[in-house]
Amino acid sequence: MRESRFSYRATLAATIVSAAVLASGCSSNQWGFPYKVGVQQGNWITTDQVGLLSEGMTREQVRFALGSPTLTSALHADRWDYPYFYRASNGEIEERNFTVFFRNGLLVKWQGDEQPTVQPFQIAEETVDREKDEQAELNLARERVEAATGQQTIEPGIDFSTITNAPDSADPGALPDEPDATPQEMM
């Protein structure tokens, strides 16, 4: 009877410890688990949009240039705030503020943090273009090496018959140097 209590307690303790270890492992971001979605809030304003502003603009003209403000206050009716906040999935935070001030319904001044020059989708396009350029440079370097050494590199998805000058194989499982097996009738 005493042994069964001891084994029960040992099993219970081991279960609690393993559950605690698993729970702490799930809450850590060491391996990117659990996945956390980036949080974006507010207005993304570019320097081109800020460049459209000029003193004396109406509220509608400012709304056309910058978009609708995220924050307006009944206590500060002559002030529009355009905050931007982004928390990436890795925990990095990007935060910007921009404020415009009105007097008698006309724009009198604006102030805020330095704004980006491009929109987020333009940043993504630039990244894709840069990666394409890097891949083109790698392909050119590979071609130069192949021309200098006279050897051709094998890439995934390439047909061996183009390299060995052998006829195309009808049997996808056959090795490049082996002849195709002759088909046999099924009985």
Side-chain angles (χ1 to χ4, degrees), residues 88-116:
S89 59
N90 63 3
E92 291 182 21
I93 294 176
E94 181 180 352
E95 192 171 1
R96 293 187 301 273
N97 291 303
F98 192 78
T99 306
V100 294
F101 298 92
F102 297 95
R103 186 177 305 126
N104 299 326
L106 300 176
L107 182 65
V108 291
K109 72 175 184 173
W110 56 92
Q111 65 187 25
D113 299 328
E114 183 73 25
Q115 302 299 321

Side-chain angles (χ1 to χ4, degrees), residues 169 171-175:
S169 174
D171 182 10
L175 295 174

Side-chain angles (χ1 to χ4, degrees), residues 138-161:
L138 288 174
N139 290 340
L140 184 60
R142 181 180 300 128
E143 290 171 4
R144 288 181 184 152
V145 168
E146 288 174 359
T149 62
Q151 294 179 351
Q152 196 173 18
T153 57
I154 299 174
E155 295 182 26
I158 196 165
D159 184 17
F160 283 107
S161 65

